[in-house]
Amino acid sequence: MVLGTASHVGKSILTAGLGRIFADEGYRVAPFKAQNMSLNSAATPDGGEIGRAQALQAEACRAIPRVEMNPVLLKPSTDTGAQVVLLGKIWGQVTAWDYHTRRVEQLFPEVLDAYKRLAKDHDLILLEGAGSPAEINLREHDIVNMRMAHAADAACLLVGDIDRGGVFASLFGTLELLEPEDRARIRGFVINKFRGDEALLRPGVTGMERRLGLPCVGIVPYLPDLGLDEEDGVALENRASAARRWKNLEPGPARPIRIGVIALPHMANFTDFDALAFEPSVSLAFLEQPEEMAAADLLVLPGSKQTLDDLQWLDRRGLAQELRRLCEEGSSVVGICGGFQMLGSSIEDPYGVENQGQPCTRRGLGFLPIRTVLGVEKTVRRVHGCLRSEFLGLGLCPEVRFEGYEIHVGETFYAPGSRPLAEIVRQGIPGSVTDGAVSASGRVLGTYVHGFFDNDDFRHSLLAALRSAVDLAPAEIWANVATEREARIDRLADHLRKSLHMNLIRSWIVAPSKR
């Protein structure tokens, strides 16, 4: 089990890298995180929903993503409430107090059953903790850290992030706050994201080994430009000020195209834009102020966990008014999932799905001739498709296909004469259906498909059209993000092989199955 001294210390990425190492060694290995809190999720092939980190870890393990890998997913809706997704399906809406004092005990048997099913099918399970195991106010009802470690009889590795500062204090404090039976499960510690001369760090490491009575299992150097999914909101905060870079871009037709993603308070699946960010011909920024928007060549409304609240936020911040002004002047806008719903005439919530049980209707931005009615059931499917309508007046090749996944509640209805964007096929469901919409001007489009920009050929065609639409020269270099993904996972695994005492870690586990 990989535990951390805090959130965003690198637990998820280390678990993924270890998964690739053990998969390469012949283990049938799978990830497991009992409870995850994230607005970044992924669809499993059978239509379930799990944390995006577990989907990445499954990919690293060369395993098919399953709902058992993340049996409880919490999707925050307010500061004190969240939607509970149990085994891939919506289970209910809870407050933080209700969840931690009552519901975790109700859900833990389901978590254990999921773990047992997963363990039965694999030689090795790599568990991941959440936050810190030393949250003493939550220990009694914690189901993702030490209680799960005991249930799985797991050897535990404690990870500290030196890049954040105070790594020795955080390691020591974490161990000091653990109960004796919990501390006994920790076999060693790792110092992650190290930069500098390791010789200067060594005296501290030796001192920590002596104080803790535990070995340092490795010092992992900081790995730049890894390019793998991050699900923690801290990662988004680190990118939020990118708009300032636009002022320093060289002018002229060869400059990068400026893509501005509206940083909604409840933004979901911000990994939708990772592939765009890796393009040398793109400068991607997350925008929060109306005055930042005019510099963008393309504006994107992302997915949202609380679409109605975020629609109100756009109005309060003056972003909706600025969007309308820019659209009237010919700016291009793309809406993804909840952002697509916002582009329509209205969003109705007859069951109070997003409004604490109270029916509600809100006026949309009015850019697309659609309206959306939120429902109780959630659509969760992997999809692939091709374009049906031209946009930007340039006509992309319909044979260039995209792929991704749907995760949304609600059904969108089209006004007479509206133009669907694409035709998609949902995995496991025969036939095809229409998706998204395009405005009469061809400058505004929306889709329900997360991962819309991930396919290399499709993204390159889309960006080429966008560059032409704003009178920029064709890009000279393209990123092949999808085709490089396996190489990025292998790079991570090689990095960990060189940094960790793998023989020590191997001594904690059993040999691979000979079947």
Side-chain angles (χ1 to χ4, degrees):
M1 186 176 203
V2 179
L3 299 167
T5 58
S7 296
H8 203 59
V9 300
K11 296 186 296 291
S12 296
I13 289 296
L14 283 175
T15 302
L18 288 170
R20 175 52 56 93
I21 289 172
F22 288 120
D24 286 347
E25 293 178 1
Y27 287 83
R28 297 176 306 162
V29 57
F32 178 87
K33 188 167 186 175
Q35 170 196 295
N36 199 351
M37 177 173 283
S38 178
L39 289 179
N40 266 349
S41 59
T44 61
D46 59 354
E49 185 178 6
I50 61 174
R52 191 158 185 86
Q54 280 63 63
L56 167 64
Q57 290 162 358
E59 185 180 353
C61 294
R62 298 193 178 92
I64 297 173
R66 292 169 48 173
V67 295
E68 287 89 352
M69 294 172 178
N70 178 206
V72 177
L73 175 63
L74 303 177
K75 307 190 77 172
S77 51
T78 67
D79 288 344
T80 59
Q83 180 188 84
V84 179
V85 177
L86 176 64
L87 294 173
K89 305 297 180 185
I90 294 177
W91 182 81
Q93 193 81 16
V94 297
T95 64
W97 178 264
D98 182 42
Y99 181 76
H100 283 289
T101 58
R102 296 175 56 224
R103 301 303 180 182
V104 289
E105 304 303 335
Q106 183 179 350
L107 296 177
F108 193 53
E110 297 269 13
V111 169
L112 287 180
D113 287 344
Y115 173 79
K116 291 173 183 176
R117 289 195 298 273
L118 198 64
K120 183 180 178 181
D121 295 336
H122 296 85
D123 304 314
L124 173 64
I125 304 296
L126 294 175
L127 294 91
E128 182 190 343
S132 164
E135 304 290 355
I136 56 177
N137 56 314
L138 302 176
R139 182 185 185 277
E140 183 181 358
H141 299 290
D142 172 44
I143 64 171
V144 64
N145 288 305
M146 300 318 299
R147 186 192 291 195
M148 195 62 230
H150 289 297
D153 193 22
C156 296
L157 184 65
L158 182 63
V159 180
D161 178 2
I162 196 170
D163 200 42
R164 309 180 90 180
V167 69
F168 295 134
S170 61
L171 288 166
F172 183 80
T174 299
L175 269 294
E176 279 294 300
L177 288 172
L178 292 180
E179 295 295 324
E181 63 270 24
D182 295 341
R183 180 174 172 142
R185 289 213 164 265
I186 310 295
R187 302 288 186 86
F189 64 92
V190 167
I191 294 178
N192 195 26
K193 306 181 190 178
F194 177 71
R195 310 178 200 231
D197 188 341
E198 191 173 312
L200 296 175
L201 184 66
R202 271 294 161 194
V205 172
T206 301
M208 285 303 296
E209 289 180 320
R210 184 176 61 252
R211 283 175 176 268
L212 301 178
L214 294 171
C216 177
V217 182
I219 299 169
V220 181
Y222 182 81
L223 188 60
D225 302 322
L226 180 58
L228 296 175
D229 307 340
E230 295 184 86
E231 70 170 3
D232 201 310
V234 177
L236 180 58
E237 291 170 11
N238 293 339
R239 294 185 258 180
S241 62
R244 299 171 191 165
R245 296 200 304 268
W246 287 356
K247 293 186 293 186
N248 301 321
L249 291 178
E250 291 289 334
R255 70 163 172 83
I257 193 166
R258 298 182 294 252
I259 298 179
V261 180
I262 308 299
L264 301 173
H266 302 93
M267 187 191 311
N269 292 60
F270 63 78
T271 49
D272 281 345
F273 313 110
D274 285 355
L276 289 172
F278 275 104
E279 288 289 350
S281 63
V282 170
S283 180
L284 185 92
F286 289 88
L287 312 179
E288 294 183 323
Q289 304 300 329
E291 57 268 23
E292 298 175 315
M293 297 167 60
D297 299 305
L298 173 69
L299 290 163
V300 182
L301 275 172
S304 168
K305 176 62 184 67
Q306 294 293 115
T307 308
L308 296 175
D309 289 347
D310 283 349
L311 192 53
Q312 280 191 316
W313 179 83
L314 289 174
D315 273 324
R316 289 197 305 269
R317 294 291 288 261
L319 293 159
Q321 296 89 320
E322 182 66 359
L323 265 175
R324 291 188 179 98
R325 184 187 74 80
L326 291 172
C327 277
E328 288 176 1
E329 294 181 359
S331 291
S332 299
V333 179
V334 173
I336 307 291
C337 198
F340 165 48
Q341 295 174 341
M342 293 180 198
L343 292 174
S345 60
S346 65
I347 302 175
E348 303 168 31
D349 188 6
Y351 306 103
V353 173
E354 291 192 4
N355 197 42
Q356 300 179 336
Q358 300 300 313
C360 176
T361 298
R362 297 239 163 90
R363 182 171 67 96
L365 295 168
F367 298 162
L368 294 175
I370 60 169
R371 67 180 181 90
T372 298
V373 180
L374 302 183
V376 177
E377 297 296 322
K378 182 181 287 190
T379 298
V380 182
R381 286 287 170 187
R382 292 186 178 185
V383 303
H384 62 85
C386 57
L387 298 175
R388 281 185 49 174
S389 298
E390 294 184 2
F391 52 88
L392 302 175
L394 297 171
L396 292 182
C397 176
E399 283 74 30
V400 179
R401 306 181 71 82
F402 61 89
E403 55 191 33
Y405 55 98
E406 293 179 281
I407 297 181
H408 63 89
V409 294
E411 184 177 359
T412 293
F413 298 90
Y414 296 80
S418 60
R419 294 193 296 157
L421 171 69
E423 186 170 343
I424 61 173
V425 176
R426 292 169 170 158
Q427 187 169 350
I429 300 177
S432 62
V433 295
T434 57
D435 168 73
V438 180
S439 67
S441 69
R443 291 279 181 176
V444 180
L445 60 109
T447 176
Y448 269 122
V449 180
H450 292 288
F452 186 67
F453 304 109
D454 287 356
N455 180 275
D456 288 333
D457 289 340
F458 179 79
R459 183 181 65 259
H460 297 165
S461 296
L462 177 63
L463 290 175
L466 286 169
R467 292 187 67 83
S468 178
V470 294
D471 297 322
L472 292 177
E476 296 182 359
I477 304 173
W478 297 108
N480 294 306
V481 176
T483 55
E484 292 171 2
R485 190 172 174 87
E486 275 291 297
R488 293 179 185 276
I489 297 174
D490 286 335
R491 177 187 172 213
L492 170 63
D494 289 341
H495 187 67
L496 295 184
R497 285 188 185 98
K498 297 171 185 175
S499 308
L500 299 177
H501 298 308
M502 288 304 304
N503 284 336
L504 179 58
I505 296 175
R506 290 186 192 98
S507 72
W508 302 341
I509 60 177
V510 296
S513 170
K514 301 302 181 183
R515 286 177 291 175

